[in-house]
């Protein structure tokens, strides 16, 4: 009985979104070959490392959440200052970051840059959420996961290049792993990334 309202809401939201924004995809995923079984150790390592990254993100959100009793202007000013400093170091941190994910999916970003943007995006997103800014979790978590997955995929590909999958595949794995770990909803994360 409770499933029917969810379906109606989902279909209605999709129809409105297509009517307003068109049928453009959020991410431009290049055609990819499937991974082979020899990459399983890389996927296990990705899961462990992204789980640790998700734990750091959740811990930071809770740490910044300790300042919830401060006045709104102080919390927003602190989040804005932190975001501004991070934006000067890596402008890709500002905004949604979907363009950065698109670049990572085709392998246009080096591993050091991926790690820098990932670390700064994680810090800024956790601070913004913890300090009470009206921002979402899912978008930043997908970006952080894609960048971390891309960095891990690049590192793994340099260790074992003959068995490495295409650059964007690890990004997609990272997106699903990070979202699943942060939201504690692995099946929802998998369906989101597949969709």
């Amino acid at each position: 009985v409770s499933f029917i309202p969810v379906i109606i809401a989902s279909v209605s939201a999709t129809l409105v979104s297509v009517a307003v924004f068109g049928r453009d995809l959020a991410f431009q995923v290049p055609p990819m070959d499937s991974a082979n079984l020899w990459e399983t150790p890389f996927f296990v390592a990705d899961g462990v490392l992204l789980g640790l990254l998700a734990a750091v993100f959740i811990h930071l959100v809770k740490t910044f959440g300790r300042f919830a009793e401060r006045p709104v202007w102080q919390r927003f000013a602190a989040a804005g200052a932190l975001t501004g400093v991070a934006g000067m170091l890596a402008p890709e941190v500002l905004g949604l970051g979907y363009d950065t994910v698109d670049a990572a999916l085709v392998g246009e970003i080096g591993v050091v840059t991926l790690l820098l943007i990932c670390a700064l995006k994680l810090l800024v997103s956790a601070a913004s959420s913890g300090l009470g800014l009206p921002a979402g979790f899912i978008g930043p978590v997908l970006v952080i996961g894609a960048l971390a997955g891309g960095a891990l995929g690049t590192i793994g590909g340099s260790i074992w290049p003959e068995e490495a999958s295409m650059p964007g595949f690890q990004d997609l794995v990272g997106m699903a792993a990070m979202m699943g770990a942060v939201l504690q909803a692995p099946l929802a994360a998998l369906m989101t990334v597949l969709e």
Side-chain angles (χ1 to χ4, degrees):
V1 174
S2 63
F3 186 67
I4 294 171
V6 172
I7 295 299
I8 292 171
S10 177
V11 170
S12 301
T14 301
L15 291 173
V16 170
S17 175
V18 169
V20 173
F21 298 111
R23 295 190 173 272
D24 291 338
L25 301 174
F27 304 112
Q28 301 302 320
V29 180
M32 296 183 197
D33 295 330
S34 61
N36 61 52
L37 290 176
W38 293 107
E39 286 188 284
T40 303
F42 290 129
F43 295 136
V44 172
D46 283 355
V48 170
L49 293 172
L50 285 160
L52 292 172
L53 194 63
V56 168
F57 180 79
I58 293 168
H59 177 73
L60 285 174
V61 169
K62 289 180 180 179
T63 300
F64 284 109
R66 293 183 186 146
F67 300 102
E69 60 276 346
R70 298 272 188 173
V72 171
W73 70 268
Q74 288 180 356
R75 291 183 283 131
F76 283 25
L82 183 61
T83 302
V85 170
M88 287 190 294
L89 295 171
E92 297 87 355
V93 171
L94 305 174
L96 287 177
Y98 289 177
D99 53 341
T100 306
V101 172
D102 281 337
L105 283 169
V106 294
E108 292 179 356
I109 304 176
V111 71
V112 174
T113 306
L114 284 170
L115 291 172
L116 174 67
I117 298 168
C118 180
L120 292 174
K121 186 75 170 177
L122 183 133
L123 179 64
V124 167
S125 299
S128 297
S129 295
L131 292 172
L133 268 69
F137 252 20
I138 294 175
V141 165
L142 287 174
V143 172
I144 293 165
L147 298 175
L152 293 171
T154 304
I155 292 168
S158 66
I159 294 171
W160 201 355
E162 61 274 1
E163 297 299 334
S165 59
M166 300 184 72
F169 191 77
Q170 292 287 348
D171 296 70
L172 295 175
V173 170
M175 290 169 78
M178 185 71 178
M179 182 180 169
V182 169
L183 301 179
Q184 296 181 1
L187 293 177
L190 182 61
M191 291 308 296
T192 299
V193 172
L194 288 176
E195 180 67 26

